[in-house]
Amino acid sequence: MVVHGIIFDMDGLMFDSEKLYNQANIEAAKEMKLPFPDDYYQRFIGASDDDMMAFFDEAFGGKEQTERFMELTYQRINELVRTGHLKKKPGLDDLLDYLDQQRIAKIIASSNFKSKITEFLVAGGISDRFSKIVSVDKVKAGKPAPDLFLRAQTELALPKEQVLILEDSPNGLLAAKAANINCLIVPDLIQPTDEMRQQALAVLPNLGAVKDYLEKINH
């Protein structure tokens, strides 16, 4: 295959933000004296807030509790971003430079909201690197549904066989598979299972390795 377009996930792939969200969830639950087992956050990595909130409505005993929990979570996230705790993943800048040099198109397709994506890109100093963004508020369903990736592929105006998705999560990989678009996994909080390794085009240790991978398959 020859890759002419890359679809980027954002949280956990471009930014070390999943750890911040998990930290914010734990602190919010502690303040509200709510149970928050270790697997609560991981099961929704890469998925939309709607799926997570539906689960928390039941786990926390109603929408009012969930809404307060999410409000505290976002307050903490905003504080962490404002104070410089949001870090770019190693190799991101070099990969973006390489894509621009090779004239490989790129787009973000994230289960996050457009406002938060923009905030993170500004905080990371890369708001000028992406002219195309597909956020969860642009589609009917977030990951693991394929909507985000199908919309991104349409906006790239490239056939699926020329597009590659970069993901870190099981939900993202499921969405890529449902969209029938090849996917590379760069793990973050969740280490890939044998099944994930079989479904992904490859599992790579970091974004620098993605650059090396593209150099091999495109030449």
Side-chain angles (χ1 to χ4, degrees), residues 120-189:
F120 283 12
L121 293 178
V122 170
I126 56 171
S127 58
D128 61 335
R129 305 303 298 266
F130 288 91
S131 60
K132 297 179 182 292
I133 296 171
V134 179
S135 56
V136 74
D137 27 357
K138 282 188 177 181
V139 297
K140 289 184 178 179
K143 304 167 193 175
D147 302 35
L148 281 162
F149 292 147
L150 292 174
R151 174 73 176 267
Q153 181 240 332
T154 298
E155 294 203 12
L156 286 174
L158 291 168
K160 291 182 180 181
E161 58 268 21
Q162 295 180 10
V163 175
L164 187 58
I165 294 168
L166 303 183
E167 262 289 351
D168 68 289
S169 73
N171 283 316
L173 180 57
L174 288 172
K177 185 180 179 183
N180 196 29
I181 300 174
N182 285 317
C183 181
L184 290 177
I185 291 291
V186 182
D188 183 40
L189 294 185

